[in-house]
Amino acid sequence: MTEQNLKDILWGKRIFVTGGAGYIGSHVVLALGETGCEVMTFDNLSTGHRHAVLHGDFCRGDLAEREQLLAAIKGFRPDAVIHFAAAIEVGESVANPLKYYRNNTANALNLLEAMGECGVGLMLFSSTAAVYGNPERIPVDESAQLAPINPYGASKMMTERLLADLASADSAFRYTALRYFNVAGADPMVRIGQDYANPTHLITRALKTALGQFPKLEIFGSDYPTADGTCIRDYIHVADLAAAHLAAVAGLLLGRGAEVFNCGYGHGFSVREVVEVAKQVTGIDFPVEMAPRRAGDPAELVADSQRIRSALGWQPQYDSLTEIVRTAWEWEKKLVSRADSVHEQG
Ligand code: UDP
């Protein structure tokens, strides 16, 4: 799909985005705005920020509050829903599984019921590579067995199943699920980026350590069956992921459905390699320490992403770990200068 085709399909379409104030959601809202979509972000701001929503309308609301959700969807009359709102930390999901089944599974059910009541039949769902667990073959393609090894992956797998069952039962309902690999980086124009109160992701932790916000970066496990003993992940730039969403929602509007797509580049980097790139990009030799494995981490997750490339014509523009880390670094520095100016004004 060319950029012009996308604009022709998406222009004026009404998209309801749950979790649109979060990291990935806010980048997609921005990209939807640039194609001329009307957007309503629905977000409880538990981890997202109102100021990250740079396009469309905003409704502060919670998917657990069914009446509020129903009123928001009824009032907006969307053509399609993109469902980001979720809890996303593997380690936390092991410690607090019920939070994950509540947020990621039960709340998705609420959303589907509300969509049904309002006659909205299209959903683009944020799924995850964690549904694969420890895949038998790397790179992993979409036909691999789903065998999550943590509650995060299991909670998303259950929602994928919900979507598939509903699509089989109801011809008016169509969905696409995108299985994200490791999303990182920031808007190339540095307008938005990742901004969690308690960041746990590797690249963000490394960069905040470089800035002195954490005393050291811990590498969780050096005895995995990989070349250097640390876990391997397929890091995808958030702007490329946003482009995948535009292509996928356009596909839904054109009549596609019941599809799942891996979103990754098809090559992986170990934790040690990521740390080296973070040191090169920042020019700072920040402290790094070996630590025990983190519960729930698979050794290696790398996408076979042929399907999304051929089915939706998705072509990544930022397939470079250096570029991912560089944009994330620009964003981290901007967060610091913003905090400094707030401090000075206050
Ligand atoms: N990781 C690490 N130190 C950190 C954060 C993460 O060694 O401070 C490792 C983590 O154990 C995993 C990889 O980095 O092997 C990617 O973790 P992240 O939390 O970024 O994403 P996930 O793969 O869990 O979605």
Side-chain angles (χ1 to χ4, degrees):
M1 232 176 290
T2 66
E3 211 169 295
Q4 189 52 47
N5 284 345
L6 261 185
K7 278 196 174 146
D8 291 343
I9 299 160
L10 293 174
W11 180 266
K13 292 293 186 305
R14 304 177 68 78
I15 315 290
F16 188 85
V17 181
T18 75
Y23 169 48
I24 301 168
S26 61
H27 286 78
V28 172
V29 166
L30 190 55
L32 288 168
E34 284 164 357
T35 62
C37 285
E38 306 284 327
V39 176
M40 159 76 80
T41 289
F42 184 88
D43 197 303
N44 65 7
L45 299 183
S46 58
T47 56
H49 304 278
R50 176 66 187 88
H51 58 75
V53 182
L54 297 185
H55 174 75
D57 298 327
F58 179 81
C59 174
R60 184 168 186 170
D62 198 299
L63 293 170
E65 304 293 332
R66 298 161 72 104
E67 292 309 314
Q68 192 185 35
L69 174 64
L70 200 59
I73 297 177
K74 260 195 187 129
F76 186 64
R77 293 176 291 103
D79 295 299
V81 170
I82 308 184
H83 178 36
F84 293 102
I88 56 153
E89 288 173 29
V90 166
E92 184 192 46
S93 80
V94 176
N96 188 359
L98 296 186
K99 172 175 174 182
Y100 282 70
Y101 293 113
R102 167 71 56 201
N103 279 352
N104 298 359
T105 314
N107 283 351
L109 183 55
N110 282 353
L111 177 59
L112 288 167
E113 285 175 342
M115 287 169 62
E117 280 188 49
C118 298
V120 181
L122 302 182
M123 177 184 276
L124 178 56
F125 174 60
S126 301
S127 191
T128 169
V131 297
Y132 296 119
N134 267 312
E136 271 174 25
R137 267 199 308 274
I138 294 287
V140 60
D141 71 28
E142 293 86 348
S143 67
Q145 198 196 350
L146 303 189
I149 59 165
N150 52 60
Y152 169 58
S155 67
K156 290 280 187 176
M157 179 186 73
M158 287 180 183
T159 303
E160 281 198 23
R161 180 61 194 261
L162 265 175
L163 294 168
D165 288 346
L166 180 58
S168 302
D170 178 358
S171 59
F173 177 75
R174 285 183 282 117
Y175 77 96
T176 297
L178 298 181
R179 292 180 181 156
Y180 308 161
F181 283 66
N182 283 64
V183 189
D187 167 42
M189 292 167 72
V190 206
R191 293 166 291 185
I192 45 176
Q194 197 180 95
D195 190 5
Y196 296 133
N198 297 305
T200 61
H201 289 118
L202 176 62
I203 291 176
T204 310
R205 292 287 295 205
L207 298 179
K208 287 186 185 293
T209 307
L211 285 166
Q213 296 172 13
F214 295 110
K216 61 186 179 212
L217 178 79
E218 291 183 320
I219 293 184
F220 298 140
S222 49
D223 58 348
Y224 284 96
T226 59
D228 71 14
T230 65
C231 291
I232 293 176
R233 295 287 182 273
D234 186 338
Y235 294 88
I236 169 174
H237 196 291
V238 67
D240 278 334
L241 188 66
H245 284 76
L246 265 52
V249 81
L252 278 172
L253 290 162
L254 289 178
R256 304 187 75 103
E259 290 181 302
V260 296
F261 295 111
N262 282 344
C263 294
Y265 292 140
H267 36 253
F269 295 92
S270 72
V271 174
R272 282 187 215 265
E273 286 171 328
V274 172
V275 169
E276 274 321 300
V277 171
K279 287 187 174 184
Q280 275 164 23
V281 167
T282 60
I284 298 168
D285 187 16
F286 53 84
V288 177
E289 222 170 65
M290 292 303 154
R293 289 183 177 197
R294 189 175 70 176
D297 274 343
E300 187 168 4
L301 275 174
V302 176
D304 178 329
S305 54
Q306 273 319 308
R307 188 187 280 184
I308 188 167
R309 291 172 197 257
S310 49
L312 299 181
W314 177 68
Q315 284 180 335
Q317 307 292 311
Y318 303 96
D319 179 357
S320 146
L321 184 60
T322 302
E323 192 53 19
I324 289 173
V325 174
R326 193 190 63 73
T327 55
W329 178 235
E330 291 308 315
W331 171 250
E332 287 299 332
K333 288 189 291 186
K334 187 166 175 178
L335 279 179
V336 171
S337 60
R338 201 157 70 186
D340 285 349
S341 70
V342 168
H343 188 67
E344 277 159 25
Q345 281 162 23

